[in-house]
Amino acid sequence: MSDDALIAIKPSIASTAKVTAETRAAMVARAKSDPDGFWRDEAKRIAWMKAPTKIKNTSFTGDVSIKWFEDGELNASVSCLDRHLEAGRGNQVAIIWEGDDPNSDSKVTYAELHEQVCRIANAMRALGVKKGDRVCIYLPMIVEAAVAMLACARIGAVHSIVFGGFSPDSLSSRIQDSECKILLTADEGRRGGRKVPLKVNADEALKVCPSIEHVLVVRNTGADVAMQAGRDIWWHEAAAAQPATCAPERMNAEDPLFILYTSGSTGKPKGVLHTTGGYMVWASFTHELVFDYRPGEIYWCTADVGWVTGHTYIVYGPLANGATTLMFEGVPNYPDFGRMWQVVDKHQVNIFYTAPTAIRALMREGEGPVKKHSRKSLRVMGSVGEPINPEAWLWYYRVVGEERCPIVDTWWQTETGGILISPLPGAVAQKPGSATLPLPGVQPALVDGEGKFLEGATEGNLVITDSWPGQMRTVYGDHPRFIQTYFSTFPGLYFTGDGARRDEDGYYWITGRVDDVINVAGHRMGTAEVESALVAHPKVAEAAVVGMPHELKGQGIYCYVTLNAGEEPSDALKKELVAWVRKEIGPIATPDAIQWAPGLPKTRSGKIMRRILRKIAANETDQLGDTSTLADPAVVTDLVENRVQ
Ligand code: PRX
């Protein structure tokens, strides 16, 4: 099959989908010609306490100001809960929870979820949490994570979720940056048959977090954990002491809903801030369109709530749309490589959304574990987080979906709040490996290094020329950094940090990051973060980190390390450095290769030439390009000869 082969829209889907090729074209046209009218109508999909009359007020120049629905008032938890109860759907299952252990699962109805949310919302209010206060959530994939998010939304507190795989250091720096008032965590988490010591990590982190006044602790595994008197409170005791209803806080559309830290090319992770009205409209709009979601369907996104995918497509989007959303605590290969499909059959999942790294890992095990399960319930399947190679796409399409299920390859970012570029199952023909076309209301473009617009079939830097409701509003506490990071490279345009190709049909093919961000198994990481972890080790003088191609993870972490004078390189020290980085950042940052570098290739002004380091890591040493501007070209010879195989 050629690279650009089209896979046609399924007639069975085209005839029943809410959005067809014709309706999509009409939506695209209206969103462009009459954005206020288009988004005023789309905003009706969520519940407002006061409907907005002002719709779009955005500027990508000067101080960069992004406001949507700015005089509207609402509470996100009401859209996700109360209105479904009012519509008589209280007994419908809101969340199916599937444990790490295949024998453990549970179901929570909308009415039950509403009650749990209200109790925890009241408990937080009783602890002094007020509108605008920040609350840190460090929980495993259990129902309480969704409860925690919605409870924050209910009282107007801004949640900041930290992925359970992050280290105490990563947790404390995020808590400190946004000065969170309370922390919601659990005794332990479970993953792939192992326990994750969340409370132990939290206690370690909190030694340097004076802003935290209380910790609510979910009893999850029942592990014996230390509870600090006056500070730590059991979640179930706090919930039981509270009434089952809670008046929702009245929020302005532009009041913050959450902060989520994400990595960039430089410095510490940034607190990406999303607000209430625009984000909720975007979450609902994209979840319905992209997955062609239909009432009554079972929807499963395999992400973790610690990432933006979990925020938008496990919790806010599906619950706003009244879906039944599946939350999975486990991993794709435990207890065996058929787990995903076993869960699909067990809960009769209709829509399935996962990451290319998982697809590649399962593909390597062959068709056997897939074929052991029926998968007949599946109707639409999605991919997110990194470029999906056509081979993995086709395996997903043919083997898992048996050519019955359209694949939606969804491109977006923490900053975008939700999906921006993706096929719509009933409206856009697919091409394996392409995220295809923008959603209505999204205006991507490609520019060259100077910011000049490139037309037609071409390749360049991916920018978005105008705002959409789900866009991030600022970097928490650092608006200048927001402008600098996203609007200064190409003034007046939102720069995504990604490169892309556009083909003759106008389809986008994301080629990956063009900055110093790497994407390891769908986890976004700044090479600068790994470098600063390495140089914090007492024996390390200097470090340079680049991404390298990795068969399963997409990219692996390749580290060049220069030791302090007098330190001897050894395998034992390599192991020590790997363990060090895991401890500093978390297991997702585990280096894949460490190369001892007596020197690093630098320009005469001292700038590390990463282009050369990337080529060596990728074993493309015949393409090093011009090395004549280096201060000492001989270091390159040494690095090439001692490349880690
Ligand atoms: O490089 C793109 C890649 O993931 C980056 C965003 O990472 P993050 O903020 O962690 O959000 C991940 C979940 C949305 C992007 O800049 N990326 C995401 N989806 C795709 C992708 N690359 C190619 N194809 C995708 N579908």
Side-chain angles (χ1 to χ4, degrees):
M1 183 179 294
S2 94
D3 203 29
D4 290 4
L6 271 179
I7 294 189
I9 302 163
K10 298 276 155 206
S12 58
I13 294 209
S15 59
T16 47
K18 184 167 176 195
V19 182
T20 62
E22 291 72 37
T23 47
R24 179 182 175 281
M27 289 170 90
V28 168
R30 181 159 181 239
K32 207 172 249 170
S33 65
D34 176 21
D36 277 15
F38 182 81
W39 290 113
R40 181 180 285 110
D41 285 350
E42 285 298 339
K44 293 179 185 144
R45 53 176 52 255
I46 59 171
W48 296 89
M49 293 163 170
K50 174 175 178 278
T53 63
K54 296 186 185 154
I55 306 301
K56 180 174 188 284
N57 179 7
T58 66
S59 163
F60 282 3
T61 57
D63 202 31
V64 182
S65 162
I66 297 155
K67 290 182 185 151
W68 283 88
F69 315 116
E70 62 187 293
D71 62 346
E73 290 176 357
L74 75 165
N75 185 290
S77 77
V78 171
S79 277
C80 293
L81 300 167
D82 304 58
R83 63 163 168 167
H84 303 315
L85 307 195
E86 282 156 23
R89 293 205 296 272
N91 292 329
Q92 186 200 313
V93 175
I95 301 179
I96 299 175
W97 177 78
E98 170 74 17
D100 187 47
D101 173 350
N103 298 314
S104 59
D105 60 16
S106 62
K107 289 183 175 152
V108 184
T109 65
Y110 272 98
E112 290 163 346
L113 186 61
H114 178 265
E115 179 178 333
Q116 290 190 36
V117 167
C118 287
R119 288 183 186 279
I120 291 300
N122 288 327
M124 286 195 288
R125 266 192 185 145
L127 292 173
V129 180
K130 292 188 286 296
K131 177 175 174 174
D133 286 343
R134 277 79 57 214
V135 170
C136 181
I137 300 177
Y138 184 60
L139 280 168
M141 282 292 288
I142 53 179
V143 171
E144 285 84 350
V147 172
M149 294 164 76
L150 294 167
C152 287
R154 190 116 188 136
I155 62 171
V158 184
H159 60 71
S160 164
I161 307 193
V162 178
F163 172 59
F166 275 127
S167 67
D169 266 8
S170 300
L171 174 61
S172 61
S173 64
R174 285 160 172 78
I175 291 175
Q176 287 165 358
D177 184 75
S178 45
E179 295 172 295
C180 297
K181 195 164 187 176
I182 64 170
L183 171 69
L184 310 180
T185 189
D187 49 8
E188 292 179 321
R190 295 187 184 86
R191 253 175 92 81
R194 286 203 288 264
K195 305 274 172 65
V196 186
L198 294 173
K199 180 63 164 66
V200 170
N201 288 350
D203 285 338
E204 181 63 29
L206 293 189
K207 286 180 183 162
V208 290
C209 297
S211 64
I212 295 285
E213 294 172 9
H214 293 285
V215 183
L216 279 180
V217 186
V218 177
R219 184 174 274 159
N220 186 38
T221 63
D224 188 15
V225 291
M227 295 290 279
Q228 187 176 312
R231 186 193 72 178
D232 301 351
I233 302 155
W234 286 111
W235 172 288
H236 58 274
E237 290 176 4
Q242 294 294 332
T245 57
C246 169
E249 196 76 41
R250 223 179 154 89
M251 305 296 285
N252 179 272
E254 284 300 337
D255 282 336
L257 180 61
F258 67 85
I259 299 166
L260 184 57
Y261 286 85
T262 194
S263 301
S265 342
T266 54
K268 281 186 170 178
K270 300 180 283 284
V272 167
L273 184 98
H274 283 287
T275 57
T276 310
Y279 173 82
M280 287 302 293
V281 170
W282 198 252
S284 162
F285 175 74
T286 54
H287 172 261
E288 182 177 0
L289 261 64
V290 172
F291 301 105
D292 184 35
Y293 168 73
R294 298 161 191 200
E297 287 194 317
I298 312 287
Y299 163 90
W300 180 17
C301 165
T302 69
D304 190 288
V305 291
W307 308 114
V308 74
T309 311
H311 283 61
T312 310
Y313 298 110
I314 295 177
V315 180
Y316 288 114
L319 295 180
N321 290 344
T324 295
T325 181
L326 195 149
M327 244 179 119
F328 179 44
E329 187 187 28
V331 293
N333 60 353
Y334 178 80
D336 60 51
F337 281 94
R339 183 70 193 278
M340 299 289 217
W341 324 122
Q342 177 252 329
V343 174
V344 164
D345 283 358
K346 177 178 178 186
H347 298 294
Q348 290 295 292
V349 172
N350 306 112
I351 301 170
F352 178 72
Y353 189 29
T354 196
T357 189
I359 298 168
R360 288 192 294 265
L362 298 178
M363 183 168 87
R364 192 169 66 166
E365 301 302 314
E367 299 183 8
V370 187
K371 297 264 160 82
K372 262 176 56 191
H373 306 277
S374 137
R375 294 157 283 117
K376 280 286 174 282
S377 57
L378 288 177
R379 192 174 68 76
V380 174
M381 305 197 304
S383 169
V384 61
E386 49 179 318
I388 179 164
N389 46 314
E391 192 196 2
W393 194 104
L394 285 166
W395 185 84
Y396 195 31
Y397 181 67
R398 289 186 177 144
V399 179
V400 179
E402 297 174 331
E403 303 192 16
R404 183 183 69 245
C405 308
I407 307 276
V408 287
D409 173 6
T410 63
W411 175 84
W412 59 296
Q413 313 177 293
T414 306
E415 293 89 338
T416 69
I419 298 164
L420 295 197
I421 304 182
S422 171
L424 305 185
V428 178
Q430 306 138 77
K431 294 184 187 185
S434 170
T436 78
L437 300 174
L439 265 53
V442 176
Q443 292 165 48
L446 298 178
V447 295
D448 67 12
E450 274 68 57
K452 193 164 85 45
F453 284 104
L454 302 168
E455 306 299 331
T458 186
E459 187 164 345
N461 299 300
L462 180 65
V463 297
I464 314 288
T465 63
D466 200 356
S467 185
W468 62 99
Q471 182 170 24
M472 76 181 281
R473 302 304 197 249
T474 192
V475 170
Y476 183 79
D478 198 349
H479 197 65
R481 191 171 176 201
F482 174 60
I483 301 171
Q484 169 67 30
T485 308
Y486 304 104
F487 301 93
S488 70
T489 319
F490 306 115
L493 305 171
Y494 168 78
F495 178 40
T496 64
D498 279 327
R501 174 167 79 81
R502 188 173 49 219
D503 69 18
E504 41 305 321
D505 295 323
Y507 277 39
Y508 285 88
W509 303 71
I510 311 297
T511 48
R513 301 289 304 198
V514 294
D515 53 11
D516 288 321
V517 170
I518 53 177
N519 195 323
V520 182
H523 299 317
R524 175 169 161 182
M525 215 168 302
T527 50
E529 286 169 71
V530 184
E531 286 165 7
S532 64
L534 282 166
V535 295
H537 188 281
K539 292 182 181 168
V540 174
E542 200 171 24
V545 173
V546 296
M548 64 171 192
H550 189 286
E551 210 188 321
L552 290 182
K553 297 195 258 184
Q555 282 189 302
I557 304 177
Y558 195 108
C559 312
Y560 297 88
V561 175
T562 307
L563 293 175
N564 283 326
E567 298 296 347
E568 278 303 308
S570 68
D571 284 348
L573 184 52
K574 269 193 189 175
K575 284 206 183 94
E576 189 180 318
L577 291 181
V578 169
W580 175 268
V581 175
R582 286 173 62 95
K583 181 184 81 58
E584 291 277 305
I585 304 177
I588 57 167
T590 307
D592 294 279
I594 292 185
Q595 173 169 359
W596 303 121
L600 293 169
K602 291 184 185 167
T603 58
R604 290 195 190 92
S605 60
K607 196 168 175 294
I608 295 175
M609 302 250 317
R610 291 164 182 286
R611 174 178 59 79
I612 294 176
L613 295 176
R614 282 192 209 107
K615 290 288 178 197
I616 297 173
N619 201 13
E620 292 170 353
T621 47
D622 54 334
Q623 300 167 31
L624 295 181
D626 184 11
T627 55
S628 64
T629 55
L630 289 178
D632 177 11
V635 294
V636 175
T637 318
D638 176 88
L639 293 179
V640 169
E641 278 169 10
N642 295 301
R643 193 184 157 265
V644 177
Q645 299 301 322

